[in-house]
Every structure is written in C-alpha cells, then in structure tokens.
Amino acid sequence: MAFAKNRKKQQRWIVPSGLEPTEMDRRIIAWEAKGKLVPTPQLIKTKSQIEGIRKAGQLNTAVLDTVAEKIREGMSTAQIDRIVYDYTTAHGGTPAPLNYNGFPGSCCTSLNDVVCHGLPSQDEILQEGDIINVDCTTILDGYYADASRMFVIGHTTPERQRLVDVAWECLKTGQQVCSQPYVFVGDLGNAIARHAHANGYTVVRDLCGHGVGLQFHEEPDVEHYGRKGSGMLLVPGMTFTIEPMINAGDWQVCGDEEDETGWIVLTEDGSDSAQWEHTFLMTENGVEIITH
Ligand code: MF3
Ligand code: CO
Ligand code: CO
C-alpha cells in the first residue's frame, strides 16, 4: 500500500512524446525538479496567437491615445467610458470589462484614492489637480490586451505628481528585471516593492498582474511584492501584465460601502493611489511591450 504523499506530484511541463527536449524544455524541467512553479504548455503562446494579441494591443493603445487626447477638466468619468466604448467598437473590438462578472462599464476609471476598478459615473466630474487611472482591455478576434495609464488633470500638487511618477518607475523597474527570460515573478515583485518603499510608498497586495492573451485573466499571478525566486518562472512565449498599484499611505485596501456592485477598491486610509499597466511578451531577449 502506497501513501498518497509518496505519489509523484503531477508534472506541469511535459515534452511531447517523440520530440527531443529543446533548450527551453530542459531549463523548465530543471527548475520544476527544484520545486519551482513553472508554466503549463498552454501558457506559451504560438506565433499566430502572439500575432493576434499584438493586434489587440495596437487597438488597445489607440483607445488609450484617444482618451489621452480628449480627457479634460469638467468631463465626467461616464464620458471617458463612452469614448472607450465608441472607439473600440468602431474599430471592430470589444471592451473586455463590459459585463465582465457584472462590471457595468467599458473601462475602469480610478480617481485619487481609488486603487482600481473605479466605475465610470455621470456624477463624477474631473477637477483640476485630480489624478486618474484609465484601465482599458480590448478583445479583438478573440485575443486580449490590457493596459492602463495615469492622467493628471491640469496641474496637481508636487505630492500627487511624485506618486504618479514613482508608480511609473515601478512598472519600468518590473520591466527591467524581465530584460532576460527565465526570471521569476517574485524577482520583479521584489524589485518593484523595493523601489516603492525607497520612495516612502507602499504596494497593494490584494490585487496583482496576470497572464493575459487568450483570456482576460490567466495564470500566472504577477504579484508586485515578494521574495526573489518565488512565483512562476517566466519563459519565452508567455504574455502577462505588470500593473503595480502604489499607495501614498498604507497598502491596505477596502471596498466602497455605497457601491452595490462591489467592484470599487479604495485605499483604507484615504490616501492617494497610482497605477500604470502594460501587457508584455517574454522573448529570448527579455520582455517586449505589446501595448505600446
Ligand atoms: N483591467 C483590469 C486589470 O488590469 C481588470 C478590470 S476587471 C473589470 O486586470 F471588470 F473591472 F474591468
Ligand atoms: Co487593466
Ligand atoms: Co490587468
């Protein structure tokens, strides 16, 4: 009689029978043998899938560029939502957020102390000094790309501007760690958190980046903090987001009592929060931005 614990753990990475293992197969198998989390074969996109994800990324970028052109003081966040819906659908795409688990808009509009998943609203009017994240995900021919940017309305305070700038640097820090393949999600999370902390800020822990491309949210979870070497190994052909949420105060988040949908995420202490997001493709030479 065998004890369950003696059974070999299900292997995630399998070389197709009859094929010689490639260099990538060998590296993945070696890390898996050391107990590291490695991708499943489905997470490695084919050439034609990557083509499709790139096209979705191009349209998603054009959507955000259109928002950038039109966003201004006095506009409601519902108007931003309308711009996203109209531009996306006019170009053959679908806004992924719309009706996603009951989400009522075509994008997320997250103002000041809203960390993410802000709901576009006719009653929310942009004012001078506001900082807002607009997060768009576009589906085109079944492929997904996801990106968000911060916008500063008019001039803001030096404090808010610095938060926006450091959040951008945090995304770039994650990208730099991924300048070669076979790094771990924990490597980039660790570097991002260090950069945030060095600037007196904190990193939201309850929400993370994610695989993306064939679905809105895929494996792996891309946490923006953590231990080097933890999390999943990132290998060529994987597509995923990095999207650190950086708080001016404490990292804890909470919901909005008045939001019946349960989507809106706020900083618990009412401090400001900023976030930038790109979809990346890991290649033999490190990551490439898909949502440029
Ligand atoms: N775009 C967000 C992300 O970066 C997800 C938003 S889910 C939605 O993962 F339903 F609120 F749109
Ligand atoms: Co997003
Ligand atoms: Co995302």
Side-chain angles (χ1 to χ4, degrees):
M1 188 174 82
F3 289 102
K5 66 176 182 186
N6 289 338
R7 272 194 217 123
K8 197 171 186 304
K9 229 175 91 190
Q10 168 107 42
Q11 204 177 307
R12 284 175 72 87
W13 191 260
I14 293 157
V15 181
S17 66
L19 290 187
E20 273 296 299
T22 62
E23 174 64 17
M24 183 163 91
D25 290 328
R26 269 193 276 271
R27 295 184 75 146
I28 293 174
I29 288 162
W31 278 121
E32 191 172 18
K34 286 184 181 157
K36 298 290 192 175
L37 181 59
V38 299
T40 55
Q42 297 75 38
L43 297 180
I44 318 291
K45 270 67 177 187
T46 65
K47 270 213 169 107
S48 76
Q49 289 171 338
I50 290 168
E51 263 320 293
I53 299 164
R54 273 191 207 286
K55 287 192 182 135
Q58 279 161 11
L59 179 52
N60 199 61
T61 300
V63 173
L64 280 167
D65 287 346
T66 305
V67 171
E69 244 169 58
K70 301 199 167 164
I71 196 168
R72 57 172 172 76
E73 190 184 344
M75 185 181 262
S76 72
T77 49
Q79 280 175 278
I80 297 173
D81 192 64
R82 188 79 216 178
I83 292 166
V84 169
Y85 179 83
D86 288 347
Y87 192 96
T88 306
T89 53
H91 290 81
T94 307
L98 197 54
N99 304 319
Y100 175 75
N101 294 338
F103 192 81
S106 293
C107 64
C108 301
T109 51
S110 303
L111 195 65
N112 300 329
D113 63 335
V114 180
V115 171
C116 64
H117 303 164
L119 306 185
S121 159
Q122 281 179 354
D123 303 329
E124 190 171 56
I125 308 295
L126 300 182
Q127 291 174 18
E128 167 101 16
D130 280 341
I131 56 171
I132 183 170
N133 175 279
V134 179
D135 191 339
C136 295
T137 308
T138 299
I139 314 173
L140 186 64
D141 298 331
Y143 296 105
Y144 291 73
D146 183 9
S148 76
R149 299 182 195 166
M150 293 300 294
F151 298 99
V152 175
I153 307 305
H155 289 100
T156 193
T157 61
E159 289 77 18
R160 278 186 166 167
Q161 187 63 56
R162 196 172 74 86
L163 177 65
V164 169
D165 293 346
V166 171
W168 170 252
E169 290 164 15
C170 284
L171 173 57
K172 286 282 140 182
T173 300
Q175 180 185 354
Q176 272 156 23
V177 170
C178 297
S179 61
Q180 53 180 30
Y182 305 104
V183 294
F184 289 89
V185 166
D187 301 345
L188 73 95
N190 186 270
I192 287 171
R194 277 173 199 274
H195 189 72
H197 296 156
N199 284 280
Y201 298 138
T202 62
V203 177
V204 171
R205 301 169 84 101
D206 304 64
L207 299 119
C208 57
H210 50 92
V212 66
L214 309 185
Q215 297 169 57
F216 201 164
H217 296 107
E218 306 172 357
E219 282 191 273
D221 283 348
V222 179
E223 290 182 337
H224 305 103
Y225 67 96
R227 267 178 312 107
K228 284 185 190 173
S230 67
M232 195 180 286
L233 182 70
L234 298 171
V235 315
M238 291 175 76
T239 49
F240 57 91
T241 73
I242 305 177
E243 50 179 304
M245 286 144 273
I246 306 301
N247 293 352
D250 292 330
W251 60 268
Q252 284 86 352
V253 299
C254 63
D256 183 337
E257 278 183 13
E258 279 151 39
D259 165 26
E260 298 115 41
T261 72
W263 270 102
I264 303 175
V265 179
L266 305 167
T267 58
E268 201 171 73
D269 63 6
S271 66
D272 290 324
S273 187
Q275 175 184 31
W276 297 80
E277 173 179 27
H278 270 309
T279 295
F280 295 91
L281 166 68
M282 182 56 88
T283 75
E284 292 293 345
N285 305 307
V287 282
E288 213 183 281
I289 299 178
I290 290 292
T291 41
H292 246 329

